[in-house]
């Protein structure tokens, strides 16, 4: 067989295959005919490679064709994408869609937590027995005079940011994971968090320091507490999937919610890193109160807007937040 003639005859097919493989990076933009042509040319190129490899000593040509066939196989047969596409999909589809799908759970958890914190705070302010019985008067005086404010300034900002992020990420992860126990521990985490906020707010208000309380908690707390409420909502829904799995088998429902919970926990950790940085560098800073709260409000608005925009867009496009389903969809190019 004349190898040069063989290569000359089939080179145009390899060029065409390379172009189709490049286009397959966005398979939805390819026609059904192009997808079929891609599969057919891949099969031919694999045969050509087998022939040339046994008859040619031109390693460059063999390597080039091997690379082409490998790339085509990844597109046709499916291969995990190790590149930035996976990260991009996580932040533009998987995470925001998973949160968006649970928005009513998040809103209910947020409302319940805030109402409980408000009730506890008002109870302490308006009930002298509660005010006197929950904490010693000396501890309350220290809290109002210096302890609450010094909490944000006692440590270097960089180490404090790391400490805050680690603690909050642990609390969020615990709230999510505890959902597997029917959500009872998750509910306990939410109650303790709300009661703590209410107690501190109640005592600070009772001694006339409500302005200091809100000026120090709002800059980072808007985003931080939102993420904690989100984690709690995910944990509660995880527990509810065991109690009421719907049309799915209980194991299937738990597995699907568990995969979504993993996605949300990872995304929440990123958001908590932002709130931790605000708590360490903005909350105790000498900036005017309105500016500090404005920075916190902006971070919160960006996070909520990001979830609503990308989550609703992914939902409208029929995307899935399920890690397993998403991986399967990404691994296989549609073939007619």
């Amino acid at each position: 067989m004349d190898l040069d003639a063989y290569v000359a005859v089939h080179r145009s097919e390899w060029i065409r295959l390379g172009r189709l493989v490049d286009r397959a990076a966005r398979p939805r933009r390819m026609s059904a005919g192009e997808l079929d042509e891609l599969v057919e040319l891949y099969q031919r190129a694999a045969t050509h490679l087998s022939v040339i490899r046994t008859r040619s000593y031109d390693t460059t040509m063999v390597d080039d064709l091997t690379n082409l066939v490998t790339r085509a196989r990844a597109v046709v047969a499916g291969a995990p994408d190790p590149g930035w596409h996976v990260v991009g999909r996580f932040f533009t589809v998987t995470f925001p869609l998973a949160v968006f799908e649970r928005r009513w759970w998040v809103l209910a958890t947020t409302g319940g937590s805030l109402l409980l914190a408000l009730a506890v705070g008002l109870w302490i302010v308006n009930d002298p027995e509660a005010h006197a019985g929950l904490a010693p008067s000396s501890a309350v005086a220290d809290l109002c005079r210096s302890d609450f404010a010094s909490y944000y300034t006692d440590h270097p900002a960089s180490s404090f940011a790391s400490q805050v992020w680690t603690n909050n990420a642990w609390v969020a992860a615990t709230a999510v994971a505890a959902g597997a126990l029917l959500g009872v521990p998750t509910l306990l985490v939410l109650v303790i968090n709300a009661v703590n906020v209410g107690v501190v707010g109640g005592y600070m208000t009772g001694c006339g320091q409500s302005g200091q309380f809100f000026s120090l908690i709002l800059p980072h707390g808007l985003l931080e507490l939102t993420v904690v409420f989100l984690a709690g909502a995910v944990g509660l829904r995880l527990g509810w999937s065991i109690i009421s799995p719907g049309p799915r088998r209980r194991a299937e429902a738990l597995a699907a919610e568990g995969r979504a919970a993993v996605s949300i926990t990872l995304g929440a950790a990123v958001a908590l890193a932002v709130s931790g940085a605000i708590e360490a560098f903005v909350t105790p800073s000498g900036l005017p109160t309105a500016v500090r709260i404005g920075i916190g409000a902006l971070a919160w608005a960006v996070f909520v807007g990001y979830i609503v925009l990308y989550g609703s867009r992914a939902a409208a496009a029929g995307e899935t937040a399920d890690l397993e389903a998403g991986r399967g969809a990404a691994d296989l190019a549609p073939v007619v």
Side-chain angles (χ1 to χ4, degrees):
M1 181 185 71
D2 188 335
L3 189 59
D4 291 336
Y6 186 83
V7 171
V9 168
H10 297 294
R11 186 180 298 278
S12 61
E13 296 180 21
W14 304 339
I15 294 173
R16 173 62 176 167
L17 176 60
R19 291 173 179 170
L20 290 174
V21 169
D22 291 338
R23 282 178 55 79
R26 297 179 177 271
R28 292 183 179 181
R29 296 185 178 182
M30 298 178 69
S31 66
E34 287 177 322
L35 292 169
D36 287 340
E37 183 183 8
L38 170 63
V39 175
E40 182 178 355
L41 289 178
Y42 156 66
Q43 294 172 336
R44 291 182 185 176
T47 301
H48 300 159
L49 175 61
S50 178
V51 171
I52 292 174
R53 183 177 286 159
T54 59
R55 291 173 171 80
S56 174
Y57 295 99
D58 187 343
T59 56
T60 300
M61 181 173 61
V62 172
D63 289 344
D64 289 345
L65 189 54
T66 299
N67 180 60
L68 174 61
V69 171
T70 300
R71 290 172 56 215
R73 181 187 301 117
V75 171
V76 173
D81 185 352
W84 287 105
H85 171 74
V86 175
V87 178
R89 177 179 171 79
F90 175 82
F91 284 107
T92 58
V93 175
T94 307
F95 173 62
L97 179 56
V99 177
F100 185 76
E101 289 176 340
R102 290 155 181 79
R103 59 193 181 279
W104 302 118
W105 285 80
V106 177
L107 289 173
T109 301
T110 300
S113 296
L114 292 179
L115 285 175
L116 178 58
L118 179 61
V120 171
L122 291 175
W123 176 48
I124 291 175
V125 170
N126 296 298
D127 188 334
E129 292 186 4
H131 188 282
L134 291 180
S137 58
S138 58
V140 174
D142 289 340
L143 175 70
C144 295
R145 183 171 49 249
S146 60
D147 286 359
F148 186 73
S150 64
Y151 168 77
Y152 299 100
T153 57
D154 280 349
H155 304 284
S158 57
S159 61
F160 184 54
S162 176
Q163 175 187 341
V164 166
W165 175 77
T166 302
N167 177 72
N168 291 337
W170 174 253
V171 170
T174 300
V176 172
L181 300 175
L182 301 181
V184 175
T186 300
L187 189 60
L188 181 61
V189 169
L190 290 170
V191 168
I192 292 174
N193 182 73
V195 169
N196 285 339
V197 172
V199 167
V200 174
Y203 278 124
M204 293 291 287
T205 300
C207 62
Q209 294 294 328
S210 60
Q212 183 186 65
F213 172 75
F214 287 109
S215 70
L216 289 175
I217 200 172
L218 286 179
H220 62 276
L222 286 169
L223 179 58
E224 178 184 295
L225 290 175
T226 296
V227 176
V228 171
F229 298 152
L230 166 62
V234 173
L236 292 177
R237 174 158 161 163
L238 184 64
W240 187 251
S241 70
I242 303 174
I243 299 171
S244 179
R248 298 174 294 183
R249 291 185 303 172
R250 187 165 279 104
E252 293 175 347
L254 180 60
E257 287 299 324
R259 290 191 294 270
V262 170
S263 298
I264 293 174
T265 302
L266 293 175
V270 176
L272 288 172
V274 175
S275 70
I278 294 174
E279 185 170 358
F281 294 98
V282 176
T283 296
S285 72
L287 293 171
T289 298
V291 174
R292 291 186 288 112
I293 295 177
I295 292 173
L298 177 61
W300 176 83
V302 168
F303 177 74
V304 173
Y306 153 70
I307 294 297
V308 172
L309 175 62
Y310 283 94
S312 60
R313 179 185 297 175
E319 296 282 2
T320 176
D322 192 308
L323 289 173
E324 184 173 284
R327 182 171 63 248
D331 287 349
L332 298 176
V335 176
V336 178

